[in-house]
Amino acid sequence: MASASLALGLFSVILIATGFSVITGSLGLILALLSRGAGPLSQKAKTGLFTSLVGILGGIVITGMALFAIFSGDWRETLNRLETLYETYITTGTLDPSDVDRVLNDDSSLEIQSDKTALRISFFTEEETDA
C-alpha cells in the first residue's frame, strides 16, 4: 500500500494542471494512512503522503484560479478583441500592425482600412511565387 501511495502521490503532482490531482492525491493519502497498520509510517508511505498532499493542494489552487478567471468576466473582453482581430483578417485578407494595436488597445474609433499596405500571411515569399 505504501508503494501504491507513492505512485498515486507522484501522479497527483504530475496531474496538478488537469484537475485529476485531487482524485489521485486523495487515493494516495488514504493508501498512505492505511499502510501504517499498527506501526509507524514507512519512508515510502511518508513520501506518498507528502506528494499526495502537494497534489491535492496544488489541484485545489489551480482549479480555484481557473474558476476565478472564468467567472471574473475578463476573458469575455479578451475573446471579443480576438474575434475583432479575426474579423479584420477575414474582411481584408491581411493583418497590419496597426490593426493588432487597435484591437489590443481597444481603440474602436478607428475604422478598418482595406487599401492600406499590409503584411500578407503566406507560405511563400515573393521570389518563390514569381518563379
Side-chain angles (χ1 to χ4, degrees), residues 49-88:
L49 183 68
F50 176 75
T51 55
S52 295
L53 286 174
V54 168
I56 291 170
L57 294 177
I60 290 171
V61 168
I62 294 294
T63 303
M65 289 172 53
L67 290 174
F68 177 75
I70 289 171
F71 292 113
S72 69
D74 292 339
W75 63 277
R76 290 184 184 137
E77 180 181 335
T78 303
L79 286 178
N80 287 338
R81 288 181 181 186
L82 289 174
E83 184 179 3
T84 303
L85 188 61
Y86 177 72
E87 288 173 359
T88 301

Side-chain angles (χ1 to χ4, degrees), residues 77 81 84 100-109:
E77 180 181 335
R81 288 181 181 186
T84 303
V100 176
D101 291 339
R102 177 181 56 83
V103 171
L104 293 180
N105 296 327
D106 197 28
D107 187 8
S108 55
S109 64

